[in-house]
Amino acid sequence: MFISDYMTADPLTISADMLLPEARQLLIDHHFRHLPVVDNNNKLIGVISDRDLRSAYPSSILTDVEKKEAFIKVGSTSVDQIMSRKCSCLTTSSTLDDALMVFERDKVGALPVVTEDDEVIGIFSMRDLTAAYKKLFGAAEKGSKLIAILNDGHSDSLSRILSILEEHDIQCTRLINIGKVSGFDRIYLRVDNVKAGDVQKLLQDSGFTLLKP
């Protein structure tokens, strides 16, 4: 699955000369945590996050005089002074797996999506990734049930399960084989919740072992 199906297209972007209080207010108003910073051609030159801004603002341990001086300095500081210039990004051809690897590697919460010319066309967040995987595995589907099955080691386990379902006209929306979880392979099957009991009995009668969490 490609991240282009789940990213926020045409995201809000800001210029490098925007002052920090303005950038901070945008994050607050739109409930964002990251803003791509672009040049006059909408090409990515950096990213500023709420973490960057929190670090720029004065600490609570400062005296009132020190805080006042710090706020004056912050108020006249532009985004380009604190933004991250070496920021990872994704393209429309990036997959969910690509995004997951970058999130894990860079410990960031969102990634700009750019064209081959570095023009910003979207932004993809950890929340978007979670929503995408929920759809991929059917977790967001109402009225469905996930059934866990012990993989008996036979090469035709998946095809046998599908044959059983087809024979009894039961629709399966997800069928996933995951190897070596807790020491053995598991097969996960998602079916209509109404027919879940029938499916479980059919599988058990066919020699499959069902698993419980």
Side-chain angles (χ1 to χ4, degrees):
M1 298 178 72
F2 297 104
I3 57 96
S4 55
D5 295 325
Y6 297 95
M7 71 181 187
T8 299
D10 301 319
L12 178 66
T13 59
I14 60 175
S15 61
D17 59 359
M18 176 178 282
L19 298 179
L20 298 190
E22 296 176 79
R24 184 189 189 196
Q25 195 60 49
L26 283 176
L27 289 175
I28 294 172
D29 291 344
H30 294 278
H31 306 288
F32 294 157
R33 298 183 64 182
H34 301 79
L35 287 170
V37 184
V38 298
D39 62 15
N40 293 333
N41 296 313
N42 201 42
K43 291 188 177 184
L44 183 69
I45 57 175
V47 171
I48 190 167
S49 68
D50 57 347
R51 181 183 298 178
D52 297 327
L53 288 165
R54 287 197 304 270
S55 297
Y57 273 75
S59 168
S60 59
I61 65 173
L62 297 179
T63 65
D64 290 342
V65 173
E66 290 172 329
K67 284 182 183 179
K68 184 176 180 179
E69 293 176 349
F71 273 115
I72 292 174
K73 184 176 181 180
V74 168
S76 61
T77 300
S78 56
V79 165
D80 65 327
Q81 298 299 307
I82 68 166
M83 70 181 186
S84 300
R85 297 179 182 275
K86 294 182 179 180
C87 50
S88 298
C89 55
L90 301 168
T91 68
T92 54
S93 62
S94 298
T95 64
L96 297 182
D97 290 350
D98 295 329
L100 179 60
M101 296 300 292
V102 177
F103 281 134
E104 177 66 21
R105 182 191 69 200
D106 295 352
K107 311 300 181 187
V108 295
L111 295 163
V113 184
V114 299
T115 65
E116 292 181 356
D117 297 324
D118 289 332
E119 183 179 351
V120 176
I121 57 173
I123 192 164
F124 188 76
S125 69
M126 279 294 297
R127 181 177 297 178
D128 296 326
L129 183 67
T130 301
Y133 273 115
K134 282 177 65 178
K135 184 172 183 179
L136 178 64
F137 291 105
E141 294 177 0
K142 293 183 179 179
S144 68
K145 182 176 179 64
L146 191 66
I147 299 173
I149 308 160
L150 175 66
N151 191 334
D152 56 16
H154 291 86
S155 59
D156 63 345
S157 295
L158 295 181
S159 60
R160 285 165 55 207
I161 292 173
L162 286 175
S163 295
I164 293 169
L165 297 178
E166 290 175 1
E167 182 181 347
H168 293 83
D169 196 27
I170 297 173
Q171 184 178 9
C172 159
T173 62
R174 305 292 189 283
L175 184 60
I176 303 168
N177 183 33
I178 299 179
K180 298 302 178 185
V181 177
S182 300
F184 48 85
D185 292 359
R186 294 181 183 183
I187 297 172
Y188 289 97
L189 170 68
R190 188 172 290 280
V191 296
D192 187 326
N193 190 43
V194 175
K195 297 186 177 181
D198 294 337
V199 174
Q200 290 171 326
K201 187 176 186 307
L202 286 169
L203 291 173
Q204 288 177 324
D205 290 347
S206 299
F208 285 97
T209 301
L210 302 188
L211 300 173
K212 295 182 179 181

